[in-house]
Structures are given as structure tokens and as C-alpha cells.
């Protein structure tokens, strides 16, 4: 077992005092059989009232209501977690799903619902044709196919940091040949869905102190995006196309969602002059 501390600070600065609308926070690590949350504290400056709830995916969401006008907003999240994840997990895939293509059961298909539906338009069927290129023959090993697709995204696309908000569509990522972890995750999830898999986007933290060259990791840690694919018997399997990794050994999930726009860690609004906003800074430190 490994105990990890995650410090995540988001700072907004303004040229003048502004009135802040409610801010939506998704910062609490998502507990599971492999992850136990030991403690979690969120501090907002200026003082805010926090109201906690769960969204449709079971993610923890806090709404911060800030009454005082301010020229600086700081949101500090500190979490201590205990991880119990094997670096090389074995996935007990059901006999019915070992070979691709396979059929989900009626209940699985119904419950996966929107997780199997493409989120971006693909009128020329380009994404499906690209994804089909990883299918070896009329029938192939399911896990090998997903591994090849995961590795293929990293081989086709080069990692490039991008400061602007938003995520590229899969077609844009294929055209440009570069992207961030968000773009890698969206491309992989959509490609898996085009092949008939249920897939969901995961947002959280990446930490790999044993390998400082891990793509997307800024020294002591960083926010990160990856994908989980549902395979009968094994359940949700994590794939990190940015680093061509499988399994959640270096990944700390905070939230899962159908679309990556549903995984923003901090979002909100302010009322002020047209040039009031100065900058936003994000600092993440993941330590063991």
C-alpha cells in the first residue's frame, strides 16, 4: 500500500475587486476498492460556504458560495489517500468477451447507455476507419486490441502542452498530429466507442516519482486525463494513451464522465469590468 498526499491550488487574480458567482469544485478523489480516502480538506479564500453533493456519475461535487467581493480567489485542496494497486494487474475477462467482437448483455448495454455513444460528429466515418485499422482480422483478442489502440494513439499523436481552454475533437487531433492528455483521452475514448466498447473519461492526478520523464507530469505531479473501458468480467479497465499505460498504478481518479467537459476541476463566474480578469494559476504537488 502507498500513502499519497495531493495538494491542488487554483488561484484567480483580477485587476479590481469583482463579485464572484457560485464556483463548482470537483477535487475530492474518487474512492474505490483500490483507493481509500484518508482525509480531504478544501479551503477557499475569501471565505466561502461549501455545499456538497454527488452528480449523476457518483462524483463528489462542491458548490462554493462567496459573498465578499475580492481581487484574488484561492481554492486549496489537500487530500491524503491510500493506494493499493498492482503495477502489472491481471484482468479476469469473462469468457464471452475474451475475443472481439463480442456482445454486452442486455443489462450491460442498457446501463452503459451514453458511454457507448460517440460525442463528436464524424460524418466521413474517419474515426471508425482509423480505429478499425487496429483490428487484426475478423476476430481478435479483446485486451490485445485495446492495448494496440492505446499504444497507437501515443504513436500517432505527439504530446504538446496547450494553454488555451477546451479540447480538440478526434478529427482535429488526427489532423494536427499533436495534443494534450485531454485530447489523447478523447481520441481514445471515441475510437473505443466506434468499435462498440463502453468508455468513460477520467480526470484526476498523475504521479510517477520513479520516472520524472512521464509525459504530462510536471515534476512532483499534475492533473491528468485518461480513459476507462468496460470489459465484462474485468469491469472498468484504465488506459492512459498519453503514456501508453494500462491499469491505474500511477493514476488517482477524481471524477468519471461521458464527456470531458463534465470533468473540469474548478469552474465559476465573476461580475466585473471587461478587462477585470488578470490570470489563473494552477499548482499541483503529489508526494509519497
Amino acid at each position: 500500500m502507498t500513502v499519497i498526499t495531493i495538494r491542488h491550488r487554483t488561484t484567480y487574480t483580477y485587476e479590481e475587486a469583482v463579485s464572484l458567482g457560485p464556483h463548482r469544485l470537483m477535487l475530492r478523489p474518487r474512492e474505490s476498492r483500490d483507493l481509500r480516502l484518508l482525509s480531504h480538506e478544501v479551503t477557499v479564500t475569501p471565505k466561502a460556504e461549501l455545499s456538497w453533493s454527488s452528480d449523476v456519475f457518483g462524483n463528489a461535487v462542491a458548490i462554493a458560495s462567496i459573498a465578499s467581493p475580492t481581487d484574488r480567489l484561492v481554492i486549496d485542496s489537500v487530500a491524503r489517500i491510500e493506494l493499493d494497486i498492482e503495477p502489472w494487474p491481471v484482468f479476469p475477462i469473462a469468457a464471452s468477451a475474451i475475443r472481439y467482437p463480442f456482445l454486452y448483455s442486455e443489462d450491460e448495454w442498457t446501463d452503459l447507455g451514453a458511454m457507448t455513444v460517440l460525442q463528436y460528429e464524424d460524418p466521413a466515418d474517419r474515426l471508425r476507419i482509423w480505429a478499425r485499422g487496429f483490428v487484426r482480422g475478423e476476430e481478435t483478442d479483446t485486451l490485445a486490441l485495446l492495448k494496440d489502440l492505446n499504444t497507437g494513439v501515443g504513436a500517432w499523436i505527439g504530446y504538446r502542452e496547450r494553454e488555451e481552454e477546451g479540447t480538440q475533437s478526434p478529427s482535429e487531433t488526427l489532423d494536427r498530429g499533436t495534443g494534450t492528455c485531454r485530447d489523447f483521452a478523447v481520441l481514445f475514448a471515441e475510437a473505443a466507442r466506434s468499435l462498440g466498447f463502453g468508455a468513460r473519461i477520467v480526470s484526476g492526478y498523475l504521479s510517477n516519482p520513479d520516472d520524472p520523464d512521464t509525459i504530462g507530469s510536471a515534476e512532483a505531479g499534475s492533473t491528468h486525463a485518461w480513459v476507462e473501458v468496460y470489459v465484462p468480467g474485468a469491469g472498468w479497465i484504465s488506459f492512459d494513451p498519453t503514456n501508453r499505460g494500462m491499469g491505474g498504478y500511477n493514476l488517482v481518479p477524481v471524477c468519471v464522465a461521458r464527456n470531458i467537459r463534465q470533468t473540469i476541476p474548478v469552474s465559476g463566474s465573476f461580475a466585473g469590468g471587461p478587462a477585470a480578469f488578470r490570470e489563473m494559476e494552477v499548482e499541483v504537488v503529489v508526494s509519497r
Side-chain angles (χ1 to χ4, degrees):
M1 293 186 183
T2 304
V3 175
I4 293 177
T5 299
I6 303 166
R7 293 178 171 85
H8 183 166
R9 169 178 285 193
T10 304
T11 304
Y12 295 91
T13 55
Y14 305 90
E15 297 291 349
E16 60 189 46
V18 298
S19 297
L20 297 169
H23 278 58
R24 187 175 188 268
L25 315 179
M26 299 184 74
L27 299 167
R28 180 185 175 93
R30 187 178 170 95
E31 294 188 82
S32 67
R33 179 178 59 83
D34 301 321
L35 188 155
R36 179 185 173 204
L37 184 61
L38 302 177
S39 63
H40 181 232
E41 183 177 2
V42 176
T43 305
V44 179
T45 307
K47 189 175 180 180
E49 180 180 338
L50 294 181
S51 174
W52 288 91
S53 64
S54 297
D55 66 9
V56 69
F57 305 105
N59 303 311
V61 179
I63 302 298
S65 300
I66 306 145
S68 305
T70 184
D71 60 1
R72 188 169 183 265
L73 171 64
V74 181
I75 299 167
D76 271 308
S77 169
V78 180
R80 266 185 93 245
I81 63 171
E82 185 178 77
L83 286 176
D84 185 13
I85 302 177
E86 294 292 330
W88 306 106
V90 176
F91 299 103
I93 297 175
S96 61
I98 289 177
R99 304 293 293 176
Y100 175 88
F102 66 88
L103 293 176
Y104 288 119
S105 70
E106 286 190 20
D107 281 344
E108 288 170 334
W109 187 253
T110 298
D111 293 335
L112 286 169
M115 302 296 182
T116 65
V117 178
L118 292 174
Q119 302 296 299
Y120 296 82
E121 293 184 2
D122 187 27
D125 221 14
R126 182 183 178 194
L127 177 66
R128 188 189 66 82
I129 293 170
W130 180 80
R132 287 292 302 178
F134 295 95
V135 180
R136 301 180 179 181
E138 293 184 4
E139 188 179 278
T140 190
D141 180 89
T142 298
L143 192 57
L145 167 59
L146 290 169
K147 287 181 179 179
D148 287 348
L149 181 60
N150 189 47
T151 301
V153 171
W156 279 73
I157 310 302
Y159 183 82
R160 181 180 69 87
E161 292 186 2
R162 195 176 67 251
E163 295 299 326
E164 61 266 27
E165 293 183 6
T167 304
Q168 296 170 177
S169 70
S171 296
E172 288 174 323
T173 300
L174 290 174
D175 285 339
R176 296 175 182 177
T178 61
T180 67
C181 64
R182 305 189 307 271
D183 307 316
F184 278 67
V186 167
L187 176 59
F188 178 86
E190 288 288 273
R193 288 166 178 164
S194 76
L195 295 177
F197 291 98
R200 62 189 187 184
I201 302 288
V202 190
S203 178
Y205 302 100
L206 171 65
S207 173
N208 196 349
D210 301 323
D211 183 5
D213 295 326
T214 299
I215 299 174
S217 180
E219 299 179 351
S222 63
T223 56
H224 196 54
W226 62 98
V227 178
E228 290 179 348
V229 176
Y230 184 80
V231 180
W236 292 102
I237 300 176
S238 296
F239 291 90
D240 179 9
T242 305
N243 291 290
R244 309 184 192 185
M246 183 177 67
Y249 182 64
N250 297 315
L251 304 171
V252 179
V254 169
C255 60
V256 301
R258 164 181 53 84
N259 192 296
I260 199 162
R261 62 178 171 75
Q262 299 168 304
T263 67
I264 299 173
V266 178
S267 58
S269 62
F270 72 91
F277 179 75
R278 180 186 299 172
E279 63 179 352
M280 178 185 77
E281 294 182 332
V282 178
E283 302 169 74
V284 176
V285 177
V286 182
S287 56
R288 300 190 180 192

